Amino acid sequence: KKYIRDIPDFPKKGIIFKDITTLLKDGIAFKDTMNILYQRYKNKKIDKIAAIESRGFIFGGALANSLGVGFVPVRKKGKLPAKTLSITYQLEYGSDTLEVHCDAIEKDDKVLIIDDLLATGGTASAVSEIIEKIGGEIIEIAFLIELEFLRGRDKLKNHEVFSIIQY
Ligand code: AMP
C-alpha cells in the first residue's frame, strides 16, 4: 500500500484514483508484485492470460511472459485489426465497449483474466462474459487492488476472484 498513491478528484470530482505508477517505477515493488502473481498461478495450468486495456496489460504482459503462456489483449473499441467479438456495458455515466479477437482463444483454453483494479466489477464482468463467449474457461480473475466497499465481487459471483491489496 505504501507504493500506491491516492489522487483525489481524478478523473472527476469525488473519485479517489489509485495511482499505481508509483509502484511500477520501483523495481523491487514491481518485481515483488509480479512474484506474488507468479507463485499463485505457476501450477494452475493456465493457457492464456486475458488482460484489460490499458493498465491490465502491464501486469498481464509481465505475468504471461514469466509463466510462458499466451497473452490476449482485451481492447477498447476499434483498436483490434482482425475479426472481433465486442461487448458493451454500462458505466456510472454512459457505456463502454470492449473487444477481443474471435480467434484469440481456443475452445476450453484455461484463461486467467487480469486488471489493475476491481471497483464496481462492471468491466471485469463484461470481460468474463466475452471470454466465455469465445470458448475460454475462466480459472480466476486477478487484480492488484480491490475496492471492497464497491462490492465488485458481487458482480463476479460465478468466478474465483483474487486481489493482492484491499481497501
Ligand atoms: P469497474 O468496472 O467499476 O470495476 O472499474 C474498473 C476499471 O476502472 C479498472 O480498469 C480500473 O483501472 C478503473 N478504475 C475504477 N476506479 C478506479 C480508481 N478509484 N482508481 C484507479 N482506477 C480505477
Side-chain angles (χ1 to χ4, degrees):
K1 276 185 179 170
K2 85 173 197 222
Y3 292 98
I4 291 164
R5 172 165 64 181
D6 281 0
I7 309 282
D9 299 323
F10 182 89
K12 56 188 173 213
K13 212 168 168 47
I15 294 191
I16 299 173
F17 191 86
K18 297 291 181 195
D19 179 17
I20 56 157
T21 64
T22 34
L23 179 142
L24 295 174
K25 74 175 181 180
D26 186 287
I28 309 274
F30 187 23
K31 192 163 184 65
D32 283 354
T33 304
M34 292 317 305
N35 198 37
I36 291 169
L37 294 169
Y38 176 73
Q39 293 303 330
R40 184 173 179 86
Y41 296 111
K42 66 178 178 187
N43 296 322
K44 293 255 167 93
K45 297 192 163 50
I46 285 163
D47 299 303
K48 303 261 168 67
I49 290 183
I52 306 171
E53 185 172 3
S54 56
R55 273 163 283 146
F57 289 2
I58 300 164
F59 301 100
L63 186 60
N65 181 258
S66 57
L67 290 174
V69 305
F71 177 83
V72 172
V74 180
R75 299 211 62 183
K76 311 245 163 82
K77 191 180 164 67
K79 303 276 187 185
L80 288 170
K83 190 172 177 218
T84 60
L85 194 71
S86 72
I87 188 161
T88 298
Y89 63 102
Q90 293 307 308
L91 298 171
E92 203 180 341
Y93 303 102
S95 64
D96 212 347
T97 300
L98 288 171
E99 296 182 332
V100 66
H101 274 148
C102 293
D103 62 358
I105 280 164
E106 309 295 318
K107 194 167 165 22
D108 298 328
D109 265 355
K110 294 190 182 342
V111 179
L112 171 70
I113 295 174
I114 191 158
D115 200 3
D116 67 325
L117 183 142
L118 173 62
T120 66
T123 309
S125 159
V127 170
S128 60
E129 208 176 297
I130 204 174
I131 293 299
E132 283 180 333
K133 258 193 200 147
I134 60 168
E137 181 198 333
I138 296 164
I139 295 300
E140 192 154 86
I141 310 178
F143 303 91
L144 179 59
I145 301 167
E146 176 177 4
L147 304 182
E148 284 182 322
F149 52 93
L150 292 174
R151 305 206 149 276
R153 265 177 202 257
D154 294 353
K155 273 211 188 87
L156 306 171
K157 267 204 200 91
N158 302 329
H159 300 291
E160 299 295 323
V161 174
F162 172 70
S163 61
I164 300 178
I165 302 165
Q166 298 81 28
Y167 291 91

